[in-house]
Amino acid sequence: QVQLVESGGGLVPAGGSLRLSCAASGISFSIYAMRWHRQAPGKQRELVAAITSGGSTNYADSAKGRFTISRDNAKNTVYLQMNNLKPEDTAVYYCNAVWAFASRNYWGQGTQVTVSS
């Protein structure tokens, strides 16, 4: 059974920081690309950051310079360090594991991030 469990969300003032974690189980974590998406109320889900199995990273323009995605294959965990948070970062953040070769795609339940102005 595949599980992706996010944690680390919460309420933070503008300018603050949070670190999200996503612990994976039931998959060969190291071969999966890992992504963080977010969905704000009334908006479509959007990709925030991604990291390949080899460690290459990619960011949405809104996240560049403020967010850092990383992974620890020994712990089957992916992280999203978010600094200088803005009210527009308020959203539910979702962890996503993708193994394109086998068309495998898994999602976590999400964690709420709220940034107060």
Side-chain angles (χ1 to χ4, degrees):
Q1 181 182 358
V2 178
Q3 281 192 311
L4 300 177
V5 180
E6 300 99 334
S7 61
L11 174 65
V12 63
S17 298
L18 284 174
R19 189 176 83 152
L20 305 184
S21 299
C22 171
S25 59
I27 60 172
S28 296
F29 181 80
S30 63
I31 67 174
Y32 278 74
M34 300 300 297
R35 301 169 179 171
W36 286 98
H37 301 251
R38 68 185 181 188
Q39 188 165 20
K43 294 188 177 181
Q44 289 189 328
R45 192 173 295 190
E46 62 175 353
L47 177 65
V48 176
I51 186 166
T52 67
S53 58
S56 297
T57 59
N58 192 32
Y59 298 92
D61 287 344
S62 60
K64 288 179 182 176
R66 300 188 299 128
F67 294 3
T68 303
I69 188 171
S70 61
R71 64 190 299 158
D72 185 338
N73 290 341
K75 295 183 178 179
N76 289 357
T77 300
V78 62
Y79 304 97
L80 185 67
Q81 177 67 44
M82 304 187 294
N83 298 327
N84 191 20
L85 283 160
K86 304 175 181 180
E88 51 263 43
D89 294 318
T90 294
V92 178
Y93 283 70
Y94 296 92
C95 177
N96 173 219
V98 179
W99 185 25
F101 179 76
S103 299
R104 303 285 173 86
N105 194 340
Y106 303 106
W107 291 86
Q109 298 281 2
T111 185
Q112 176 71 48
V113 171
T114 303
V115 184
S116 62
S117 56

